Amino acid sequence: MGDIAHLRSLLGEHTDFPKKGIVFLDIFPILRDPVAFETLITHFVHHLTSVTIPQHGKRIDVIVGLDARGFLLGPIIALRLGAAFVPVRKQGKLPGVCKSAVYEKEYGSDVFEMQADAIKPGSNVVVVDDLIATGGSASAAGDLIKQQGGITLEYLFVIGLKFLNGKSKLDAAAYSMIEVDD
Ligand SMILES: O=P(O)(O)OC[C@H]1O[C@H](OP(=O)(O)OP(=O)(O)O)[C@H](O)[C@@H]1O
Ligand SMILES: Nc1ncnc2[nH]cnc12
């Protein structure tokens, strides 16, 4: 817990970006500190291999990371677990045939895409992102996983904006390392 309090103290808070009247929470200071970054990744890997989580004992086949800040964490966690990494990108960025999902988030709407053959039916998947606000982005990623026959075991976030209740939109358990209450 001491480790998490330290990571919490490193978070940046910005009121001038992206100028939409929200407090923008920024994980980059954690990534600039190699010890803190290692703590964060190790915490997630311990969480995913812990006996206390509902999906304990199930093999994780795929880590899905969300454009863009989920790309900073997902591949590292995937490598530590020996799982595949699959990106979900904003519309028009991925080559080949893609599946898409439209969604609403804290500051506007967007479209997510995943390559159509990225997840084999029956694969166990964990979604990773820096932050959950309204849950629109993560829920759209969950839709894309379902469209391919994947099974989402859990959603993982560094930060959860609890007051927006985004986890209620999700079709599986969700874990935020740091909960922000207001
Ligand atoms: O729970 P939600 O309301 O959907 O909001 C959370 C999403 O918003 C941010 O991404 P953003 O779309 O701003 O993209 P970026 O990572 O490219 O800045 C954040 O990284 C999450 O992906
Ligand atoms: N408050 C917030 N801070 C950082 N990223 C976000 N994405 C959605 N809401 C956000």
Side-chain angles (χ1 to χ4, degrees), residues 79-101:
L79 277 176
R80 297 263 173 110
L81 295 171
F85 176 75
V86 170
V88 163
R89 292 217 68 183
K90 303 276 169 69
Q91 190 172 39
K93 302 281 187 180
L94 284 171
V97 179
C98 292
K99 304 274 186 192
S100 58

Side-chain angles (χ1 to χ4, degrees), residues 67-69 90 105-107 129-137:
D67 192 348
R69 287 168 262 156
K90 303 276 169 69
K105 57 182 178 177
E106 195 181 12
Y107 37 77
D129 203 2
D130 65 326
L131 180 143
I132 179 166
T134 65
S137 308

Side-chain angles (χ1 to χ4, degrees), residues 13-182:
E13 294 192 10
H14 308 271
T15 49
D16 57 345
F17 178 84
K19 297 189 171 66
K20 297 264 167 69
I22 62 162
V23 177
F24 189 90
L25 293 168
D26 163 16
I27 63 162
F28 295 133
I30 297 177
L31 276 50
R32 289 200 290 270
D33 176 337
V35 175
F37 196 1
E38 176 61 44
T39 301
L40 186 152
I41 296 295
T42 305
H43 182 88
F44 277 147
V45 172
H46 279 167
H47 172 84
L48 289 173
T49 52
S50 142
V51 291
T52 59
I53 55 174
Q55 73 272 21
H56 173 68
K58 294 196 177 145
R59 181 195 68 250
I60 297 168
D61 300 304
V62 180
I63 298 289
V64 162
L66 309 192
D67 192 348
R69 287 168 262 156
F71 296 171
L72 303 170
L73 312 170
I76 303 169
I77 296 168
L79 277 176
R80 297 263 173 110
L81 295 171
F85 176 75
V86 170
V88 163
R89 292 217 68 183
K90 303 276 169 69
Q91 190 172 39
K93 302 281 187 180
L94 284 171
V97 179
C98 292
K99 304 274 186 192
S100 58
V102 181
Y103 63 100
E104 298 290 331
K105 57 182 178 177
E106 195 181 12
Y107 37 77
S109 65
D110 228 321
V111 183
F112 261 165
E113 289 185 340
M114 182 187 278
Q115 286 176 310
D117 55 356
I119 293 178
K120 292 193 187 71
S123 301
N124 289 329
V125 181
V126 169
V127 175
V128 177
D129 203 2
D130 65 326
L131 180 143
I132 179 166
T134 65
S137 308
S139 157
D143 287 349
L144 292 171
I145 292 162
K146 208 176 282 170
Q147 283 183 46
Q148 304 218 14
I151 300 151
T152 304
L153 297 179
E154 193 173 16
Y155 295 82
L156 286 191
F157 306 95
V158 180
I159 305 164
L161 304 188
K162 211 172 172 184
F163 54 97
L164 292 175
N165 199 24
K167 289 179 185 174
S168 66
K169 285 206 179 76
L170 305 180
D171 57 357
Y175 172 72
S176 310
M177 208 178 75
I178 298 164
E179 292 282 8
V180 175
D181 287 321
D182 51 17

